[in-house]
Amino acid sequence: LSLHDALPIFAMIEIASAAVAMQPIGGEEGYYDITSSPSGAAVTVDSTPVGNTPTTASVFVTGTPGHTIAVNLAGYQPWSQYVAGNPAAGQHIPVHASLVPVVQTGNIYVNSNPAGASAILDDGYDQLTTPGTFNAVPVGWHNVQVSKSGYQLYSTDIEVKPGATSNVYASLVQTKQYGSISVSSNPTGASLYVDTIYQGVTNQIVGNLAVGTHTVTLKKSGYQDYSQTATVNNAQTTYLSIPLSPPTSPTTGDL
């Protein structure tokens, strides 16, 4: 082959090499149009960051088929999807990530004075006996009620923050409870005193007495003074029947 005949062949090889050099590596591109709800989430394609939603990621149509698209946003569960194959040249494939919020929780510690009270969270969502802790309570405001027989109901609203423990201390106030004492004597007509306070003459019922122990005293001319303690229960009447005794050796009289 003469040099004159070889020149056209060399020229064709150079033109072909130039054409190959101008062709982008991987060939033509297709696209993934990636959105999320809510938007603003970080996106990676095959672990390579491509921006925040909404965004468009390009891949070579002749590249390795199949891609993993991941979407992440603070406060939401991680989202990922494997897309098989590759888009065609110039094709736009929509990919949407519906993000699920992460349920954030905290705790509520409840104590009371006196202890042993019943604590109820959010009208019955959970219950415990003080002292105790409500665990895994959703973040936000919650109502706690503390109750114990003989005490006024305690109720409060408290905020729960992520990963933290909120404290409730219920200083319970006793309810005012009352009962009565019915006092009869033999003979009747004795002066009646309850806790040194004159209440009239027997036979007599003394009401509106605070629950607990009281001292009952009877006095009648010609008879020995009489005194004893009596227990009053809530909404009940305590009955006393007292026989009076004359003095054995009287040294005084009445005028």
Side-chain angles (χ1 to χ4, degrees):
L1 183 66
S2 65
L3 179 62
H4 181 270
D5 294 329
L7 286 176
I9 296 175
F10 292 146
M12 293 177 60
I13 293 174
E14 289 178 357
I15 293 173
S17 298
V20 171
M22 294 175 60
Q23 180 71 24
I25 297 174
E28 297 180 286
E29 295 180 332
Y31 306 93
Y32 294 112
D33 296 327
I34 306 167
T35 59
S36 69
S37 54
S39 59
V43 180
T44 61
V45 176
D46 299 329
S47 301
T48 300
V50 295
N52 296 336
T53 56
T55 187
T56 297
S58 60
V59 295
F60 292 114
V61 299
T62 58
T64 302
H67 302 278
T68 299
I69 300 174
V71 180
N72 290 278
L73 182 64
Y76 292 83
Q77 297 179 19
W79 183 97
S80 67
Q81 178 177 315
Y82 178 78
V83 182
N86 285 326
Q91 180 184 13
H92 286 255
I93 296 178
V95 176
H96 182 75
S98 295
L99 303 180
V100 178
V102 174
V103 178
Q104 295 179 312
T105 63
N107 306 311
I108 301 177
Y109 173 76
V110 185
N111 200 357
S112 67
N113 181 24
S118 174
I120 296 177
L121 176 66
D122 294 335
D123 296 324
Y125 177 80
D126 201 355
Q127 186 272 340
L128 58 78
T129 299
T130 61
T133 302
F134 293 115
N135 295 303
V137 180
V139 167
W141 286 90
H142 297 271
N143 178 259
V144 176
Q145 293 184 345
V146 182
S147 62
K148 186 176 178 66
S149 178
Y151 294 84
Q152 297 179 22
L153 176 68
Y154 176 91
S155 179
T156 188
D157 292 325
I158 190 166
E159 185 180 11
V160 173
K161 296 182 179 180
T165 297
S166 302
N167 296 298
V168 172
Y169 182 79
S171 183
L172 302 179
V173 178
Q174 284 186 302
T175 56
K176 294 182 178 180
Q177 297 177 319
Y178 299 96
S180 60
I181 299 176
S182 174
V183 183
S184 61
S185 67
N186 184 21
T188 61
S191 297
L192 170 62
Y193 299 82
V194 176
D195 298 328
T196 72
I197 300 173
Y198 179 70
Q199 301 289 350
V201 297
T202 58
N203 296 333
Q204 184 72 258
I205 296 177
V206 182
N208 292 322
L209 295 174
V211 167
T213 302
H214 299 269
T215 300
V216 177
T217 302
L218 296 182
K219 296 182 178 183
K220 185 174 177 63
S221 176
Y223 293 86
Q224 297 180 35
D225 290 350
Y226 179 91
S227 182
Q228 79 168 75
T229 58
T231 300
V232 173
N233 298 311
N234 183 46
Q236 297 181 14
T237 300
T238 300
Y239 292 90
L240 299 179
S241 180
I242 302 170
L244 299 178
S245 301
T248 54
S249 299
T251 57
T252 61
D254 297 318
L255 176 62

